[in-house]
Amino acid sequence: MLHVNENYSKIKPTYLFAEIAHRVSAHQAANPEAKIIRLGIGDVTEPLAPAVIEAMHKAVDDEAGKGAFYGYGPEQGYAFLREKIAKVDFQDRGIDISADEILVSDGAKCDCGNIQELFAQDVKIAVGDPVYPVYVDTNVMTGRGYSLLTCDAANGFVPGPEGCDADVVYLCYPNNPTGAVATLEQLQAWVDWANAKKSLILFDAAYEAFIRTPGIPHSIFECRGAKTCAIEFRSYSKTAGFTGIRCGYTVVPKELVAYAADGSEVNLKAMWTRRQTTKFNGASYITQRGAEAIYSPEGQAQTKATIDFYLENARLVREALSKLGYTVTGGVDSPYIWVDVKGDSWDFFDKLLKEANVVTTPGAGFGKAGEGYIRISAFNSRENVLEAIERIGKVL
Ligand code: PLP
């Protein structure tokens, strides 16, 4: 008789988005004429940059000629992409990361979900509350528990390391769901803590491209000493509309080590490379040529313009809710606006759905500390955002 991995029964059911979908379709069925505007999920709405489209078309042509055809690529990613990443995302910002510390992947979700395979079963894990659920569920699937770092108004949604005894801490800035960003001092405190404790920071920078405020760090590797205690995940999903194309990368510094049971050092980049070369066969050539085009002058300008567009949506939502008397976080260096609804988050969600035909995400779905908040996403057309704001203004 085949026995299943019982840990799967400990994962909370994907209640949140299923429940939202259920409530939205019930509302639509009862009100067939209603034009529902979805500011719930964080998927992009604007098309890919022309430079990316052009590069991917050309990459298809590269595959057409015999002899020029590309088969399996390097599992770490093509050098043409890794070198651009190292230069533009890091070295041009004065950050010491080289191409051989970068492993290209099919997105940040897989990498931040899979990375925990490198750690012993009994390591102590800490995650934020509220949290992007992937960090929690992937550890629960293997039978690990976890502790919570409360992110609330009292700490500006950026918890510090004081009192944290974890071996592995997941940090995400700009944050999903709160939209909060961390300062260099706040991240430096985590890095100093991790180095002192020989712990590891898993830094999710999926929303890095939304940072516009000078001085806000784009990478954990802007902190002194981060190369001995941190791994960083990046994604082209929100940066360049790649949610459906699938590409991202993970930075594992050469000098980063963890420890074997006998106390000897084990190189984490070698372990992650081994894991990826065993279980992953790389993002496609066409995808990586598309990602490379993001780093061309045209690609940089076009993707920046799209993010500026989402940021303007975010500013409009943020200002509208503030004017209505709500305390809001995020929406400045982030596509998410986290609204203190001064009450039950599902009740507030229902009110906006039923009275304004606007879908948001109840904060309670991201963890206990998310209760009392809703997340509004800026990923939509300007027309829809303006209409949603107007409708919300009428019912609140
Ligand atoms: N990390 C965070 C915090 C996210 O919000 C998301 C997607 O919403 C991801 C990672 C996943 O990114 P990708 O599409 O690259 O898998």
Side-chain angles (χ1 to χ4, degrees):
M1 202 198 311
L2 173 67
H3 293 280
V4 298
N5 176 353
E6 296 282 354
N7 295 316
Y8 274 60
S9 66
K10 297 178 202 150
I11 308 166
K12 292 203 190 89
T14 45
Y15 167 74
L16 176 63
F17 288 102
E19 180 60 22
I20 291 173
H22 170 72
R23 292 191 192 201
V24 172
S25 50
H27 177 66
Q28 186 78 82
N31 304 275
E33 302 300 314
K35 185 196 159 211
I36 295 177
I37 299 177
R38 291 160 203 274
L39 301 180
I41 58 166
D43 200 354
V44 291
T45 54
E46 298 307 295
L48 290 163
V52 170
I53 299 279
E54 196 184 315
M56 289 201 293
H57 277 302
K58 188 174 169 303
V60 173
D61 291 340
D62 291 347
E63 303 276 15
K66 235 190 166 162
F69 173 76
Y70 286 82
Y72 287 123
E75 290 101 336
Q76 259 190 270
Y78 284 98
F80 62 73
L81 176 57
R82 290 189 289 116
E83 278 158 15
K84 298 264 171 23
I85 293 170
K87 180 170 183 323
V88 179
D89 285 348
F90 297 98
Q91 293 159 7
D92 287 353
R93 291 182 174 277
I95 305 168
D96 171 30
I97 291 291
S98 57
D100 60 354
E101 296 174 300
I102 288 155
L103 291 100
V104 175
S105 71
D106 56 354
K109 184 180 195 171
C110 301
D111 285 2
C112 64
N114 292 328
I115 196 83
Q116 47 74 31
E117 285 182 24
L118 307 192
F119 315 132
Q121 185 62 27
D122 62 355
V123 295
K124 286 184 252 162
I125 306 282
V127 299
D129 176 17
V131 69
Y132 174 59
V134 173
Y135 317 144
V136 171
D137 291 350
T138 52
N139 279 289
V140 172
M141 280 173 179
T142 70
R144 288 195 196 99
Y146 57 94
S147 60
L148 295 173
L149 303 161
T150 301
C151 310
D152 58 14
N155 59 23
F157 303 92
V158 183
E162 307 76 33
C164 180
D165 74 339
D167 303 302
V168 177
V169 175
Y170 291 75
L171 298 179
C172 172
Y173 295 106
N175 188 263
N176 178 12
T178 67
V181 289
T183 63
L184 191 61
E185 295 68 39
Q186 287 169 319
L187 292 186
Q188 188 66 55
W190 275 109
V191 167
D192 293 344
W193 167 89
N195 275 325
K197 234 191 128 304
K198 291 188 160 49
S199 293
L200 178 69
I201 296 168
L202 297 176
F203 191 74
D204 186 344
Y207 297 92
E208 170 275 333
F210 288 79
I211 298 173
R212 291 284 186 271
T213 303
I216 294 295
H218 290 243
S219 167
I220 191 76
F221 299 115
E222 289 181 42
C223 297
R224 274 183 327 276
K227 290 187 82 176
T228 51
C229 68
I231 288 174
E232 180 163 305
F233 306 103
R234 294 274 187 111
S235 166
Y236 296 113
S237 286
K238 316 298 158 82
T239 307
F242 271 49
T243 51
I245 306 286
R246 308 305 306 145
C247 198
Y249 65 86
T250 289
V251 186
V252 190
K254 287 186 274 261
E255 55 264 66
L256 187 65
V257 295
Y259 300 89
D262 65 4
S264 60
E265 290 184 350
V266 181
N267 184 281
L268 283 180
K269 192 196 141 215
M271 270 185 96
W272 181 242
T273 305
R274 186 60 212 253
R275 191 268 171 211
Q276 290 297 79
T277 52
T278 302
K279 295 195 178 183
F280 179 60
N281 249 341
S284 77
Y285 171 75
I286 297 164
T287 297
Q288 292 189 59
R289 281 294 186 200
E292 181 195 23
I294 297 168
Y295 295 98
S296 67
E298 305 76 41
Q300 290 280 282
Q302 291 161 1
T303 49
K304 181 176 176 296
T306 302
I307 292 171
D308 284 345
F309 169 80
Y310 291 131
L311 282 170
E312 176 62 8
N313 282 350
R315 186 189 68 78
L316 291 166
V317 172
R318 185 188 160 91
E319 285 193 7
L321 270 297
S322 302
K323 274 199 194 119
L324 290 166
Y326 290 87
T327 304
V328 293
T329 306
V332 175
D333 295 306
S334 158
Y336 298 125
I337 300 98
W338 190 240
V339 186
D340 181 347
V341 299
K342 302 177 263 189
D344 181 89
S345 62
W346 278 106
D347 286 350
F348 199 84
F349 165 88
D350 280 334
K351 183 176 171 66
L352 293 187
L353 175 62
K354 290 187 182 148
E355 297 176 24
N357 294 315
V358 173
V359 183
T360 56
T361 310
F366 297 103
K368 211 160 137 272
E371 181 49 271
Y373 293 86
I374 56 158
R375 188 192 74 175
I376 303 183
S377 156
F379 293 114
N380 216 311
S381 67
R382 182 63 44 76
E383 190 192 354
N384 278 350
V385 166
L386 289 172
E387 190 171 337
I389 289 170
E390 197 187 319
R391 292 193 206 159
I392 291 172
K394 285 189 184 139
V395 302
L396 291 183

